[in-house]
Amino acid sequence: MPDQAHLPSVETLYSDHHGWLQGWLRRKLGNQFDAADLAHDTFVRVLRSRDQDVIREPRAYLATVANGLVVSHWRRKALEHAWLDMLAAQPEAVVPSPEQRALILETLEQIAALLDGLPDRVREIFLFSQIDGLTYPQIASRLGITVNIVQKAMTRAVAQCYKALYLHG
């Protein structure tokens, strides 16, 4: 068991490393506003973590947590960009209202968060099924894999969604 007297408190962790983390994030993201948001979110994750009492390498730990948030941030930006591109291609009569757009983007972000942590292939299979409406044999054919692999991937993706919805939130 680690010596608790030598481990930093969250307050110490924040005061000693917040400026460094925000600078690190600013260099990765290219702007101070997103960096400030993600630095805040990183410390919120640390506060919620069961591991906060055993942080031995604070900057490495914070960078790991923050990097996961950066990946999610870029994924949300890519979803938003794809959605806006799709909207731009629609005839004017089909374009949803600003309120509908906000709800759709929020839903897309929630879906992305539900699938966070899944391997790329599992996420791809899930999206082919749920967004594109492809059948398991169609997905298997498109990806050059067996239907059994598609079924296992879907089971894993649905289990991840269940855990995110009912066990963590």
Side-chain angles (χ1 to χ4, degrees), residues 67-109:
N67 198 54
L69 293 171
V70 168
V71 169
S72 294
H73 171 80
W74 288 122
R75 184 178 55 234
R76 278 192 305 275
K77 290 284 188 191
L79 279 170
E80 184 176 341
H81 184 61
W83 172 249
L84 293 174
D85 286 348
M86 192 273 305
L87 280 180
Q90 298 297 313
E92 190 63 35
V94 180
V95 176
S97 70
E99 296 82 13
Q100 289 171 319
R101 278 187 283 203
L103 286 171
I104 291 168
L105 283 172
E106 182 179 330
T107 301
L108 289 171
E109 287 179 17

Side-chain angles (χ1 to χ4, degrees), residues 125-126 129-130 136 149-159:
I125 289 168
F126 181 82
S129 171
Q130 300 303 303
Y136 289 7
I149 292 173
V150 173
Q151 290 170 330
K152 287 179 181 178
M154 284 299 295
T155 299
R156 185 171 179 186
V158 170

Side-chain angles (χ1 to χ4, degrees), residues 6-131:
H6 293 90
L7 296 173
S9 67
V10 174
E11 294 85 9
T12 302
L13 188 69
Y14 184 87
S15 64
D16 290 353
H17 302 288
H18 180 265
W20 168 83
L21 179 64
Q22 195 162 340
W24 183 82
L25 285 165
R26 188 174 46 254
R27 286 186 298 280
K28 279 188 111 33
L29 298 168
N31 78 67
Q32 66 185 17
F33 303 108
D34 288 338
D37 287 345
L38 292 185
H40 173 266
D41 292 348
T42 299
F43 282 99
V44 168
R45 290 251 175 118
V46 170
L47 280 171
R48 291 182 179 161
S49 171
R50 294 184 191 126
D51 300 330
Q52 65 181 313
D53 293 333
V54 294
I55 299 171
R56 294 174 195 253
E57 298 293 331
R59 288 191 175 182
Y61 181 80
L62 291 170
T64 299
V65 173
N67 198 54
L69 293 171
V70 168
V71 169
S72 294
H73 171 80
W74 288 122
R75 184 178 55 234
R76 278 192 305 275
K77 290 284 188 191
L79 279 170
E80 184 176 341
H81 184 61
W83 172 249
L84 293 174
D85 286 348
M86 192 273 305
L87 280 180
Q90 298 297 313
E92 190 63 35
V94 180
V95 176
S97 70
E99 296 82 13
Q100 289 171 319
R101 278 187 283 203
L103 286 171
I104 291 168
L105 283 172
E106 182 179 330
T107 301
L108 289 171
E109 287 179 17
Q110 289 171 345
I111 291 168
L114 286 174
L115 300 176
D116 196 29
L118 287 175
D120 292 341
R121 174 60 59 94
V122 174
R123 185 174 29 257
E124 180 180 33
I125 289 168
F126 181 82
L127 293 174
F128 276 145
S129 171
Q130 300 303 303
I131 304 296

